[in-house]
């Protein structure tokens, strides 16, 4: 019934919320003025909480979690770039992308108790998305799932490969999955690929 989005319509990028059922103007989600640009990523349901990332000029990007009726708290805020957060539907898990290792990898941490972030990938990965079935993410052009087994993440399993569009900065996932993991919504460029032609013995064509 409501849509959350980021906009710089008033200067600094803020998070807004708007009803999709009634004709009302969007309103900022947070009443206090922020000093950093912020973008929403995903909601849990319930408990109602929003995973978002901010752009901190001195340190880059940080992942924050907003719990309805409470203040915003950092979930991953280091000198590395942390972004593309995805909170699980039950609000227990948070996945995000960080370049702390020198390249983008997917990390997972718990939100329902104190715990250290777990490095989930080793060869480069981006765009984590939670469903009831588990955690999806992309390793290059391969879609991978780590299924939830008895409340814990199982071993990774490749699902399919394909060249689909993605966010150039890996700030947010450029696809989505239905809550049961049955189908994907992805972006594919409509532009025709350019051809590369190789001409042999081109010197014989000269006058």
């Amino acid at each position: 019934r409501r849509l959350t989005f980021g906009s710089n319509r008033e200067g600094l990028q803020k998070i807004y919320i708007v009803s999709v059922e009634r004709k009302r103007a969007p309103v900022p989600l947070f009443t206090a003025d922020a000093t950093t640009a912020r973008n929403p990523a995903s909601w849990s349901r319930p408990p109602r909480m929003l995973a978002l990332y901010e752009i901190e000029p001195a340190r880059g990007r940080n992942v924050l979690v907003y719990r309805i009726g409470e203040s915003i708290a950092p979930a991953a805020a280091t000198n590395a770039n942390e972004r593309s957060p995805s909170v699980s539907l039950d609000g227990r898990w948070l996945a995000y992308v960080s370049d702390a290792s020198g390249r983008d990898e997917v990390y997972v941490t718990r939100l329902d108790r104190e715990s250290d972030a777990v490095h989930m990938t080793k060869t480069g990965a981006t765009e984590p998305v939670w469903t009831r079935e588990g955690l999806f993410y992309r390793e290059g052009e391969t879609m991978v799932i780590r299924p939830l087994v008895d409340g814990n993440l199982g071993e990774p399993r490749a699902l399919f490969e394909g060249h689909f569009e993605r966010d150039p900065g890996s700030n947010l996932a450029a696809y989505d999955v239905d809550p049961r993991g049955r189908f994907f919504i992805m972006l594919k460029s409509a532009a025709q690929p350019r051809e590369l032609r190789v001409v042999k013995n081109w010197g014989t064509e000269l006058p």
Side-chain angles (χ1 to χ4, degrees):
R1 295 181 298 172
R2 290 179 293 274
L3 174 70
T4 310
F5 65 94
S7 172
N8 62 356
R9 60 181 59 196
E10 297 178 359
L12 187 67
Q13 182 93 347
K14 296 180 181 179
I15 297 176
Y16 293 82
I17 191 164
V18 64
S19 172
V20 298
E21 298 177 334
R22 301 177 182 178
K23 293 183 178 180
R24 293 180 178 176
V27 296
L29 182 60
F30 310 113
T31 56
D33 290 335
T35 58
T36 58
R38 291 174 173 170
N39 286 286
S42 68
W43 285 94
S44 65
R45 51 181 186 185
R48 298 294 289 168
M49 65 178 71
L50 172 68
L52 62 137
Y53 77 91
E54 67 176 3
I55 303 175
E56 218 285 337
R59 295 191 304 178
R61 289 158 174 75
N62 300 317
V63 170
L64 310 174
V65 171
Y66 170 63
R67 300 174 188 269
I68 295 295
E70 301 179 21
S71 60
I72 304 172
T78 71
N79 291 328
N81 275 302
E82 292 101 2
R83 66 267 194 230
S84 192
S86 180
V87 61
S88 62
L89 298 180
D90 61 7
R92 296 175 58 199
W93 304 82
L94 176 73
Y96 61 92
V97 173
S98 174
D99 61 3
S101 68
R103 63 184 171 194
D104 286 344
E105 302 284 2
V106 172
Y107 293 75
V108 169
T109 188
R110 295 292 294 263
L111 294 176
D112 57 347
R113 65 169 185 254
E114 291 291 332
S115 65
D116 294 329
V118 178
H119 197 167
M120 301 299 295
T121 59
K122 302 296 184 183
T123 59
T126 57
E127 300 179 89
V129 171
W130 283 101
T131 73
R132 296 191 186 100
E133 302 302 313
L135 177 64
F136 294 82
Y137 53 84
R138 295 172 73 176
E139 292 184 343
E141 295 189 346
T142 302
M143 182 64 66
V144 178
I145 181 176
R146 295 195 71 143
L148 279 170
V149 181
D150 297 327
N152 295 303
L153 287 172
E155 292 299 313
R157 184 174 78 248
L159 296 177
F160 60 87
E161 293 186 8
H163 181 67
F164 300 95
E165 297 300 308
R166 63 181 65 220
D167 180 354
S170 297
N171 295 312
L172 291 169
Y175 71 95
D176 205 356
V177 194
D178 83 295
R180 296 182 181 179
R182 296 168 299 175
F183 57 85
F184 293 79
I185 299 175
M186 311 186 80
L187 298 172
K188 196 169 184 66
S189 175
Q192 295 296 323
R194 296 180 178 180
E195 294 181 348
L196 177 64
R197 298 187 178 185
V198 178
V199 179
K200 295 181 179 181
N201 301 321
W202 56 271
T204 60
E205 302 294 328
L206 297 177

